[in-house]
Amino acid sequence: MIGLISATAAGAAARDRLAAAWPERTRVYEGPAGEAVRAAFAECDRLVCFLATGATVRLLAPLLGDKAADPGVVCVDEGGRFAVSLVGGHGGGANELAYEVAQLLGSEPVVTTATDAVGLAGLDTLGLPAEGAVAAVSRALLDGEPVALEAESAWPLPPVPFAGQGAYTVRLTDRAVQPGPREVLLRPPSLVVGVGASRGAPVEEVLGLIEETLREAGLSVRSVAELATVDAKSEEPGIVAAAGRLGVPLVTYPADELAAVAVPNPSDAPLAAVGTPSVAEAAALRTGGELLVPKRKSAASPAMATCAVVRRPGRGRLAVVGLGPGARDLLTPRAAAELRRASVLVGLDQYVDQIRDLIRPGTRVLESGLGAEEERARTAVAEARKGHAVALIGSGDAGVYAMASPALAEASDDIDVVGVPGVTAALAAGAVLGAPLGHDHVSISLSDLHTPWEVIERRVRAAAEADIVVTFYNPRSRGRDWQLPKALAVLSGHREPETPVGVVRNASRPDESARLTTLAGLDPATVDMMTVVTVGNTATRNIAGRMVTPRGYRWQHAPEGAR
């Protein structure tokens, strides 16, 4: 929960904007600022104080205890110009909150954490528990000193400029080892603990068995990703409570699925009780991976709990990211976050140039020229299969005439794939023209490099006969100069010469140009590959110089004054 505190009318207005935008995430604290800050500090995970920084510091000072446990605090000035990450930048989430608040209020985020200020991913922000000399190793990274990465298993990490060797080390391990004086241990969520329990098994017995098993196997409890069991035990109090105390989810599987898993130690007892010869081993192995600890029973007599431990392999992550039509303010925050998260970036060279300033130090960039789409897709998938966090970029929306299709055709279920939507060229051009896509519409690429012209022409004819607004991508190039006239001729057989046509070149970019013409008046020679052509339907109108397609057709038949 985010506590909101203000002391003035202007602050209350900005506070109420946040409360309205995040009704489920925020709580407004009324009354004197001092009392409100004390109450919110005790009850909330994060605070936004619409107060002067000096006043906020004085109110917070007596309350601060442990940076790992204190809530993050963001301070917004009276004019709403700045959102300052004041306390708990990383541990308390104040840095992230400052960016969110700034975006919502139109403010400037102010983040002074050293790693954030220079674009480095902080070791305590990689999404993994970190132990050891975090401050010292982070300082070494900031100073440009070589820091080595020792990864005992492949795991997708954000970009950090690691070296092959150095006096400082970051070790990725799930083993229960102690960090050295110049070392940070990162704990990947690589361990799955399968659990079985008799009815009424106490949580102390279940949890004690898990912790003892991990300790004797030399494994870190901080790398436990989940507990797994059979569906019949999904509400067993001892198992549910053990998962809660460990802070991990409880995953359950049907008995018939577990019965199909080959295990080293099947038993007749669970088969009779829940319908599978193995619960602990089968549930752990169901997630895939290597069985590190076979089934063990608790020490109680009779034993009421069993467990087994599996190490699952790291899964690479492929984010297919749409960059939008080109303008920076049309790049979505989610896309920007994925660019910062990726340790490998794959893309067309001219698209990489658009976002090069957003790429974090340590990111490996694999760029290539036009015509290498399939090669880029294969490269991105191959890098993800090596366990990396990969971003594959494309213009507009990556799923529309872009990189998502070839990438997903290459990918299988051995990697995680995330799609990040972007503003398409059709949408950007439509916004420039007015509202040409107000009713049913279709996008058709006129490039016959991958699609036979006979297929393209059939689709254009179908759209013409169905009276659907058409947006043409890739309308004309030096080597393809006859396709657009042919497509316009097909449309002309079903629409009047006065049908509005919008032509937008480089939508949203500094050299953007747009004009509104007609089906009869469009000169194909003025169109190139950077242009989007939108042809209206029989209801589309030129209204005050804007291209408008109504949401329905009734207005065409209404009296003139009712339109």
Side-chain angles (χ1 to χ4, degrees), residues 91-310:
N95 290 354
E96 178 185 357
L97 182 58
Y99 287 111
E100 288 189 88
V101 170
Q103 182 182 1
L104 188 62
L105 298 181
S107 309
E108 181 73 22
V110 179
V111 175
T112 58
T113 308
T115 50
D116 293 78
V118 298
L120 281 176
L123 295 177
D124 53 351
T125 67
L126 300 182
L128 304 178
E131 304 171 15
V134 175
V137 176
S138 295
R139 188 165 53 250
L141 286 167
L142 288 167
D143 291 342
E145 297 187 42
V147 176
L149 173 65
E150 296 180 2
E152 296 179 4
S153 60
W155 208 268
L157 293 175
V160 178
F162 292 121
Q165 56 184 1
Y168 297 86
T169 304
V170 172
R171 186 166 16 153
L172 186 74
T173 180
D174 57 19
R175 295 186 297 115
V177 294
Q178 294 299 313
R182 293 187 169 190
E183 184 176 55
V184 170
L185 302 181
L186 296 179
R187 301 297 191 183
S190 55
L191 304 178
V192 176
V193 180
V195 181
S198 303
R199 181 177 299 175
V203 61
E204 289 77 12
E205 183 171 345
V206 176
L207 186 59
L209 172 63
I210 293 171
E211 293 176 337
E212 179 185 6
T213 298
L214 293 170
R215 183 169 55 252
E216 292 184 358
L219 298 170
S220 172
V221 70
R222 301 191 76 184
S223 279
V224 174
E226 60 191 41
L227 300 189
T229 191
V230 67
D231 279 351
K233 296 296 179 179
S234 63
E235 297 182 0
E236 183 64 42
I239 296 178
V240 173
R245 292 192 189 180
L246 290 171
V248 298
L250 175 63
V251 179
T252 66
Y253 299 99
D256 58 347
E257 285 190 21
L258 297 186
V261 178
V263 297
N265 299 293
S267 173
D268 292 334
L271 179 62
V274 294
T276 173
S278 172
V279 173
E281 287 180 339
L285 286 167
R286 175 63 179 75
T287 62
E290 172 192 5
L291 184 64
L292 299 180
V293 183
K295 180 178 71 176
R296 288 192 51 174
K297 295 182 179 181
S298 54
S301 184
M304 300 185 72
T306 60
C307 81
V309 183
V310 160

Side-chain angles (χ1 to χ4, degrees), residues 397-451:
D397 182 283
V400 179
Y401 302 121
M403 295 305 302
S405 295
L408 269 60
E410 290 285 335
S412 54
D413 61 0
D414 58 344
I415 61 173
D416 295 325
V417 179
V418 178
V420 182
V423 178
T424 67
L427 295 178
V432 173
L433 294 170
L437 309 182
H439 206 283
D440 297 336
H441 54 274
V442 63
S443 295
I444 299 177
S445 171
L446 293 184
S447 172
D448 55 0
L449 295 178
H450 299 285
T451 306

